[in-house]
Amino acid sequence: GMITGDFVNRATIIMEDLQTPVMKIQGTMMDILGVGVLIMGAPGIGKSETAMALLRRGHSLVSDDLTDLKMDSSGVVIASCPTGIRYHMELHGLGIIHVPSIFGVASVRGRKTLDLVIKLARAETLRDAGPDDPNAVVAMLGSSVTCVTIPVAPGRDIAGLVEIAALDQKLKKLGHDAAKELDEKLIKRMSEGRD
């Protein structure tokens, strides 16, 4: 049988799971190179199409258009898919597709930590907003998550931009602040050029 301590630990985890409030949010959740990315934006802006392009690049889908968020015991926000729609996505003009049948079993994940929120917004609505704040965050279940707004316009490679934002986030997590490194390199190059 199961040893009492082990049972108590497992029961505690299950009870925590049951008690943790789940927040349903309109957004598509992806795993991009190990970075959990929630893509948000107005209906019809192209969240699912962006997710599809990311799947074609070899990344994984957690949930399409509706995502469950909950905080684990360590204060990390975990995203998962509402049970009824797991591993499916809806594409305008194509209807509902079963993702693993098309992209293989590695194209889906059951759950993923939320590391980055990407808001897709029509370029014309952002025109007067001024420069982007690189340190923008959004509160999710009381935890603050980095938030990047990407302007959507015809001909822009939105999936490519989302992929780069995820990579940039991964570098920052690893302790490399790419912008800071670039600034330092430029300052060094400029000071060397003065002699």
Side-chain angles (χ1 to χ4, degrees), residues 134 168 171-172 176-186:
D168 189 50
L171 285 172
K172 284 177 181 165
H176 306 283
D177 189 327
K180 189 166 160 267
E181 281 181 22
L182 184 64
D183 281 351
E184 284 165 3
K185 277 184 189 152
L186 287 171

Side-chain angles (χ1 to χ4, degrees), residues 22-160:
V22 173
M23 174 180 161
K24 285 202 187 305
I25 197 156
Q26 208 72 46
T28 293
M29 183 73 189
M30 301 286 300
D31 177 343
I32 302 173
L33 302 164
V35 181
V37 180
L38 181 68
I39 303 168
M40 300 180 73
I45 198 150
K47 296 183 290 290
S48 297
E49 286 78 2
T50 300
M52 177 59 58
L54 288 161
L55 281 165
R56 292 185 63 190
R57 288 169 186 244
H59 305 299
S60 307
L61 176 76
V62 177
S63 66
D64 176 45
D65 208 38
L66 192 64
T67 300
D68 284 346
L69 298 179
K70 69 172 163 188
M71 192 177 275
D72 74 1
S73 52
S74 64
V76 174
V77 179
I78 306 284
S80 60
C81 184
T83 319
I85 58 171
R86 191 164 288 171
Y87 308 148
H88 289 82
M89 72 191 303
E90 190 171 356
L91 292 165
H92 301 288
L94 289 181
I96 293 172
I97 65 155
H98 184 246
V99 174
S101 298
I102 296 175
F103 294 100
V105 287
S107 66
V108 287
R109 294 257 184 289
R111 47 194 284 154
K112 186 76 190 89
T113 56
L114 175 59
D115 302 306
L116 177 64
V117 171
I118 291 196
K119 287 184 177 166
L120 301 183
R122 301 204 192 289
E124 57 270 22
T125 62
L126 293 172
R127 209 157 279 151
D128 317 317
D132 251 7
D133 176 6
N135 303 312
V137 292
V138 62
M140 293 281 174
L141 296 176
S143 175
S144 61
V145 181
T146 304
C147 181
V148 174
T149 300
I150 294 181
V152 174
R156 291 198 88 197
D157 176 12
I158 304 305

